[in-house]
Amino acid sequence: MYRDLGYYWLRFVIYIALCLCVGTIYYDIGHDYGSIQARGSMLMFVAAFLTFMAIGGFPSFVEDMKTFGRERLNGHYGVVTFVIGNTVSSIPYLALISIVPGAMAYYLVGLQKSFQHFAYFALVLFVCMMLVESLMMMVASIVPDFLMGIITGAGIQGVMMLNGGFFRLPRDLPKPMWRYPMYYIAFHKYANQGFYKNEFLGLTFPNTQAGGPPTISGEEILRDVWQVEMGYSKWVDLAILFGMVIIYRVLFLVIIKFAEKMKPKVKVFFSRLTTRATRVIDPPPAASLL
């Protein structure tokens, strides 16, 4: 990972550029009524599109899987060792990407100034990138082709983004499929709600709507504007995201184990089919039958 520039270093540079763009576009958005929508849009971009960039490491994931396949056949290490090693090795790079570019975007925009709020922001960004990497590792273990893997991973994330509660508010999502269960499966739901709770709780904004009170609290914004579930704290959202990371990594391990056991059986099955087809196409000569 350290030697491969495309694995994390190029992404680190791109993240810095993107976060500088976000920070300058939303620079010092203030606390007027219009900043409510601006804050929500900025946080959604971080939760959705910054984490989406993790698919850029897919070519390196594919090469990792090829290297693992060769070394596994040589008996150097097992599947569990590979999954744990890959996870632990990626943590310092993802932490670096979360903290440095994240701080640029966070403080340029002028979100809540306390260190606790920034630490939560960086933690959610870190966990979301780990989730996307886990998803792409699963895709790489199933679809080793580079182009097909990128398309598959991007498609899965696109569906999750649409159900994250920003492009379509939770109560407006069609219930049979998109509200139940897709809204609760998409990690963007928990990332968005964690970001919103972290930012809006404790703030007050002037209310420009006619006939309303002079100010509107952050809790009212969460409940009425963004339709956030207020029955639990932002730390529960973060805990759910961590749990999803564990589930994704366990699924990655199970997929590798399953593929390892099924590949020999598939090869035997296709070899038998080939042998039978050859016998039908090329029957033995009549003299040999006598």
Side-chain angles (χ1 to χ4, degrees):
M1 291 176 179
Y2 178 80
R3 293 192 299 266
D4 187 353
L5 293 177
Y7 214 129
Y8 287 111
W9 298 120
L10 180 59
R11 266 193 283 165
F12 180 61
V13 174
I14 297 299
Y15 269 70
I16 289 177
L18 278 174
C19 286
L20 284 174
C21 292
V22 171
T24 51
I25 289 172
Y26 292 97
Y27 178 73
D28 195 16
I29 55 176
H31 291 81
D32 58 3
Y33 188 81
S35 70
I36 296 172
Q37 178 64 36
R39 289 170 193 272
S41 300
M42 180 266 177
L43 292 170
M44 185 281 303
F45 181 87
V46 172
F49 292 101
L50 281 188
T51 56
F52 187 87
M53 293 294 295
I55 68 173
F58 185 77
S60 300
F61 299 157
V62 173
E63 291 302 317
D64 267 359
M65 294 305 300
K66 291 178 181 178
T67 303
F68 164 71
R70 291 193 300 268
E71 296 178 347
R72 173 65 173 153
L73 289 174
N74 290 327
H76 293 310
Y77 49 83
V79 176
V80 176
T81 304
F82 170 68
V83 174
I84 294 175
N86 180 274
T87 304
V88 174
S89 300
S90 65
I91 287 176
Y93 301 100
L94 294 178
L96 180 67
I97 292 174
S98 303
I99 293 172
V100 177
M104 293 178 180
Y106 190 90
Y107 288 107
L108 282 173
V109 173
L111 303 180
Q112 293 214 39
K113 303 296 184 182
S114 71
F115 177 76
Q116 178 188 353
H117 286 86
F118 169 70
Y120 183 89
F121 174 88
L123 273 173
V124 172
L125 181 57
F126 168 78
V127 176
C128 287
M129 285 194 290
M130 281 205 73
L131 269 168
V132 177
E133 287 216 341
S134 302
L135 173 65
M136 295 309 294
M137 291 297 284
M138 285 193 290
V139 172
S141 62
I142 300 171
V143 187
D145 179 76
F146 166 69
L147 183 58
M148 292 300 296
I150 290 287
I151 293 171
T152 303
I156 294 171
Q157 287 197 73
V159 172
M160 289 186 178
M161 283 183 201
L162 286 173
N163 292 277
F166 179 83
F167 296 103
R168 188 74 167 162
L169 290 174
R171 295 171 199 160
D172 299 329
L173 286 170
K175 291 184 178 179
M177 175 68 178
W178 304 114
R179 179 72 183 273
Y180 307 105
M182 291 303 300
Y183 173 64
Y184 293 94
I185 294 175
F187 73 87
H188 296 84
K189 166 192 183 299
Y190 308 101
N192 287 337
Q193 294 202 5
F195 276 148
Y196 291 163
K197 292 174 185 176
N198 185 59
E199 177 58 25
F200 285 100
L201 286 177
L203 295 181
T204 304
F205 299 86
N207 189 6
T208 59
Q209 293 179 333
T215 60
I216 181 172
S217 68
E219 186 174 349
E220 291 175 303
I221 293 167
L222 293 174
R223 186 177 59 250
D224 301 330
V225 177
W226 301 118
Q227 298 180 8
V228 172
E229 297 172 4
M230 301 298 294
Y232 52 88
S233 71
K234 63 183 181 180
W235 299 105
V236 175
D237 290 299
L238 182 61
I240 293 172
L241 290 171
F242 268 113
M244 292 179 75
V245 170
I246 295 172
I247 292 172
Y248 278 30
R249 289 285 169 167
V250 171
L251 285 175
F252 175 47
L253 188 149
V254 170
I255 290 170
I256 297 177
K257 282 279 192 182
F258 180 78
E260 197 174 62
K261 291 182 178 180
M262 290 302 297
K263 278 182 181 179
K265 296 180 181 179
V266 172
K267 287 181 180 179
V268 170
F269 175 74
F270 279 108
S271 65
R272 288 177 179 174
L273 284 181
T274 305
T275 303
R276 290 176 183 175
T278 304
R279 287 175 180 173
V280 172
I281 294 172
D282 299 321
S288 65
L289 293 176
L290 296 174

